[in-house]
Structure formats: structure tokens, C-alpha cells
């Protein structure tokens, strides 16, 4: 079921997203957060950092990130490990051992996927933050992905690589593969918080909320989830 909130500016969207997250976590002793990277949640993360500065402690939080590129060293400036530390973790008090980001280096890739699932299986995510791809992807689960997937290795579609090229020097540098939490794990979160802004998200937002439930738009699976808050600006909501 969707609770849809539409605001004028990215700042207002981010504040509403923060309020929704805080409502879920504030009465939990050990809140489990599912986190995303990308442009959409940066404002939410700024609000969390402000909240910490004002005295709220995040030290009991346990976090799971959705995804990570394959083919970049962990400390490359475009890994999601770097993104999360720069945009959130370096300025909060969450202990490093509570932070889970799928690792894309080291062992055999299938082993990395099952390690991540094992860690995920020990918890239930209280709130999963999601952005949405222009093609309707959630995590890096691209159109065509079965709704039953667990953590898996994906080939990034051209549209996703083009969308993300803005963070790299050239399209050639954008990795072609990623490791991502699967759709079935995302669906197990107790609450989901989707943040989307901008006209380039309008079709995907329509597909998520009003389209047919189909693997062609992975976000449409959220129509089957009991608790989804969607925070949009007017552009992202323009096709609803
Ligand atoms: C990021 C992720 C992706 C993004 C999506 C939107 O961890 O899993 O699904 O949420 O690509 O990205 P932005 O927010 O940059 O438009």
C-alpha cells in the first residue's frame, strides 16, 4: 500500500523522507536500516547528520546497503562504500561493524552473494530506503529480473550506465556489472521509503504506482508491499 507525499522542492522531499524514517526508527532499540546510494537520498542523509549533530545517536543502528559496483577497488571515489562513508557514515556514530555494504572484491562472486544473504537473514530491515532508476530498477535489479531474486550479480543496462556516467570521467569508466540485494529481500523489509525527484523519473514512478505489476518495471512489485511511503517532487509525480 502506498502513502504518497508530493512536495515542491528537493529539500522538502528530503525533510519528509527524514520524518518518515525517524518515525519508524525512533521507538526501536536496534533499528535496522536498508540504505541506497545515488542522488535521491543525499538530502535525507544530510537531515540524519543534522539530527546527530543535535544529539540523536545512531549508534545502535544496523545498516544494509543495496548494492555495489564490481570492478572498482573499495576506496575508488565512485564505489558505494566511498559514497556511503562520505555522505553519511563518516558523520554519524554508527559503529563500522554494524555497517553492511555488499563487497565486490576478494572472493568468488557467488560466495560474496551468499555471504551477504547470510548477513541479511540474521535481521529484518525496519525501513528500506530506495531510489528508482529511470527504467524502474530498484537496487540494481534491472527490468526483466525475477521478483524471487536474492543477492545477485547483474549486468548493468545501457540506460543505467548512461544515467550514472555523470559521476565518472567517461561512459567507458562506468562499470558494467554490480552486486545487488535481490527483489525478494527488498520486499521483506517491514517498511519501504522511495524517494524520487525530477521529470526523468516520472515514467518509472507511474509504472511503480499505477502500471501493471510486471518484471518490465521492477518497482511495480512494490504494489504488493503493505507499507510503502513514496516522497516525490511535482515533476516525478507529473504522470500520476
Ligand atoms: C542505488 C540504487 C539505485 C538508485 C537509482 C536512482 O543504491 O540502488 O537503484 O537508487 O538508480 O539513482 P538516483 O537517486 O541517483 O537517481
Amino acid at each position: 500500500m502506498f502513502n504518497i507525499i508530493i512536495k515542491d522542492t528537493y529539500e522538502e522531499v528530503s525533510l519528509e523522507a527524514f520524518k518518515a524514517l525517524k518515525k519508524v526508527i525512533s521507538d526501536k532499540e536496534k533499528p535496522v536500516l536498508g540504505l541506497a546510494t545515488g542522488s535521491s537520498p543525499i538530502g535525507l542523509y544530510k537531515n540524519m547528520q543534522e539530527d546527530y549533530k543535535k544529539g540523536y545517536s545512531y549508534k545502535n543502528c544496523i545498516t544494509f546497503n543495496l548494492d555495489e559496483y564490481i570492478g572498482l577497488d573499495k576506496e575508488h571515489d565512485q564505489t558505494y562504500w566511498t559514497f556511503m562513508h562520505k555522505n553519511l557514515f563518516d558523520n554519524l556514530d554508527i559503529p563500522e561493524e554494524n555497517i553492511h555494504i555488499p563487497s565486490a572484491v576478494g572472493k568468488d562472486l557467488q560466495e560474496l552473494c551468499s555471504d551477504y544473504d547470510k548477513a541479511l537473514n540474521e535481521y529484518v530491515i525496519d525501513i528500506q530506503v530506495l531510489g528508482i532508476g529511470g527504467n524502474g530498477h530498484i537496487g540494481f535489479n534491472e527490468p526483466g529480473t525475477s521478483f524471487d531474486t536474492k543477492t545477485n550479480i547483474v549486468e548493468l543496462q545501457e540506460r543505467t550506465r548512461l544515467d550514472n556516467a555523470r559521476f565518472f570521467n567517461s561512459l567507458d569508466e562506468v562499470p558494467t556489472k554490480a552486486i545487488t540485494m535481490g527483489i525478494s529481500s527488498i520486499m521483506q523489509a517491514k517498511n519501504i521509503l522511495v524517494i524520487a525527484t525530477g521529470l526523468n523519473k516520472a515514467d518509472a514512478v507511474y509504472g511503480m504506482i499505477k502500471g501493471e505489476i510486471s518484471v518490465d518495471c521492477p518497482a511495480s512489485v512494490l504494489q504488493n508491499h503493505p507499507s510503502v511511503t513514496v516522497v516525490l517532487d511535482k515533476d516525478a509525480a507529473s504522470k500520476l
Side-chain angles (χ1 to χ4, degrees):
M1 213 183 27
F2 292 108
N3 168 28
I4 302 169
I5 301 168
I6 301 170
K7 291 282 164 188
D8 288 326
T9 65
Y10 179 70
E11 285 67 31
E12 289 170 314
V13 166
S14 301
L15 185 59
E16 286 303 317
F18 170 69
K19 286 188 201 156
L21 179 122
K22 200 63 198 288
K23 196 168 154 201
V24 170
I25 69 169
S26 46
D27 63 341
K28 304 258 173 339
E29 223 171 278
K30 286 193 170 186
V32 184
L33 309 181
L35 299 175
T37 60
S39 310
S40 306
I42 288 181
L44 162 66
Y45 297 159
K46 285 203 175 117
N47 279 283
M48 290 168 73
Q49 291 167 61
E50 284 304 311
D51 191 37
Y52 170 63
K53 274 196 217 148
K54 286 184 198 150
Y56 183 83
S57 174
Y58 286 80
K59 73 173 189 308
N60 292 329
C61 291
I62 293 150
T63 70
F64 284 91
N65 261 81
L66 284 168
D67 41 21
E68 179 60 285
Y69 286 123
I70 289 174
L72 303 179
D73 290 333
K74 189 170 162 186
E75 275 155 38
H76 184 286
D77 62 355
Q78 290 308 328
T79 59
Y80 289 170
W81 189 93
T82 301
F83 176 99
M84 287 308 299
H85 282 79
K86 198 169 98 197
N87 289 294
L88 189 65
F89 298 141
D90 286 352
N91 302 313
L92 291 187
D93 58 346
I94 304 177
E96 195 63 33
E97 64 269 21
N98 289 9
I99 294 171
H100 303 83
I101 301 177
S103 163
V105 279
K107 296 187 230 166
D108 167 75
L109 292 178
Q110 286 317 319
E111 214 175 309
L112 292 171
C113 293
S114 49
D115 284 355
Y116 205 61
D117 284 333
K118 257 185 234 151
L120 270 171
N121 285 341
E122 286 177 28
Y123 298 94
V124 177
I125 292 176
D126 290 306
I127 183 160
Q128 173 67 58
V129 177
L130 295 177
I132 179 169
N135 62 4
H137 72 215
I138 48 175
F140 269 142
N141 297 287
E142 298 282 34
T145 308
S146 149
F147 291 162
D148 298 330
T149 51
K150 295 274 184 195
T151 303
N152 64 110
I153 305 295
V154 293
E155 280 297 327
L156 297 176
Q157 291 188 356
E158 202 56 17
R159 163 106 196 234
T160 300
R161 293 186 66 242
L162 283 167
D163 282 350
N164 291 359
R166 67 190 191 277
F167 301 114
F168 292 82
N169 294 324
S170 70
L171 181 60
D172 287 349
E173 286 183 21
V174 184
T176 55
K177 283 188 176 161
I179 178 170
T180 183
M181 197 191 283
I183 293 179
S184 73
S185 310
I186 293 172
M187 289 296 280
Q188 275 165 25
K190 284 192 209 151
N191 300 279
I192 295 202
L193 171 61
V194 184
I195 304 166
T197 55
L199 267 184
N200 61 332
K201 300 292 173 74
D203 286 325
V205 166
Y206 177 88
M208 166 173 70
I209 295 172
K210 296 208 164 148
E212 185 196 340
I213 302 177
S214 150
V215 295
D216 295 340
C217 177
S220 66
V221 73
L222 300 176
Q223 291 176 34
N224 292 330
H225 193 283
S227 171
V228 186
T229 299
V230 186
V231 196
L232 306 170
D233 69 357
K234 289 199 169 123
D235 284 343
S238 60
K239 298 214 168 151
L240 291 178

